[in-house]
Amino acid sequence: PGDRLLIATGVRARRWPNAEEAALQGVFTLRTSGDAARLQAALAARPQRVLIIGSGFIGSEAASVCRELGLEVTVTERGPAPLCGPLGGVIGAIAAEMQRAAGVDLRTGVSVLALEGDAGRHVRRARLSDGSTLDVDVVLTSLGSVRNVEWLDGCGLAAGFWGVGCDAGCRAFDINGVITTDVFVAGDIARAP
């Protein structure tokens, strides 16, 4: 029981869509400190090549870290440049120049079609949409985030994959678009006009 509810369940890293490939050793997502520790240990083992799928903020930062460590890194991005979604094309073009100048093998307009493992279930190759294949030891899937709202299914709030609808005062909308007086939303799942 309570008088008010604050929903602030945040987001989680979007996983690689093929569960079998996502389970290969050497395939990582990055959201928590535990994720970061596991990735740090894999990078400390000096892999031959790191593949980063996606060049948003996390993917771009991880590519920078790999280069600072002297590691070979390839970044694949379906869009025309890194960070285009959140920052636009002009900044994306600047980010692309910076990454390439730092030695990142940046491949824009390219998707990863599949990850392949060896007999020991460790990632070894990635097949790309341009027909090429990369030999890789570590893969970071930097595919954005998923809002943690599944638990709200059927609760009567305006909640979905885009988050929980709310007004400027963070008061949640119900499924009819009416403002609630006792349910509030904050953080990454809040979807305000």
Side-chain angles (χ1 to χ4, degrees):
D3 298 322
R4 305 270 190 291
L5 173 65
L6 174 62
I7 301 171
T9 51
V11 296
R12 64 186 180 277
R14 184 180 311 277
R15 302 216 14 111
W16 183 247
N18 181 308
E20 186 176 320
E21 294 172 6
L24 291 170
Q25 292 176 18
V27 177
F28 299 89
T29 58
L30 185 55
R31 180 71 186 168
T32 68
S33 61
D35 295 338
R38 286 185 289 279
L39 179 59
Q40 181 181 26
L43 297 179
R46 310 291 306 160
Q48 293 294 311
R49 176 164 299 277
V50 177
L51 170 63
I52 300 173
I53 306 171
S55 65
F57 290 109
I58 290 175
S60 293
E61 179 65 22
S64 176
V65 168
C66 287
R67 290 306 302 142
E68 287 178 9
L69 294 172
L71 299 174
E72 295 297 319
V73 60
T74 298
V75 175
T76 59
E77 170 57 48
R78 290 186 310 176
L83 301 163
C84 268
L87 300 179
V90 172
I91 299 298
I94 293 169
E97 288 178 28
M98 292 173 66
Q99 287 188 20
R100 288 183 174 122
V104 173
D105 174 17
L106 175 63
R107 300 184 187 197
T108 58
V110 175
S111 299
V112 175
L113 301 178
L115 301 174
E116 300 172 357
D118 60 18
R121 303 286 304 142
H122 194 285
V123 68
R124 292 297 176 210
R125 279 172 301 292
R127 286 189 295 115
L128 308 183
S129 62
D130 64 2
S132 64
T133 302
L134 285 175
D135 291 331
V136 296
D137 304 295
V138 170
V139 175
L140 172 62
T141 60
S142 181
L143 305 173
S145 56
V146 178
R147 290 173 178 87
N148 294 316
V149 295
E150 296 83 6
W151 66 282
L152 295 170
D153 286 349
C155 75
L157 293 176
F161 71 94
W162 40 264
V164 180
C166 64
D167 69 2
C170 297
R171 296 176 297 181
F173 293 128
D174 70 14
I175 58 172
N176 298 312
V178 177
I179 296 171
T180 62
T181 58
D182 54 359
V183 179
F184 297 83
V185 187
D188 290 333
I189 67 162
R191 183 69 175 199

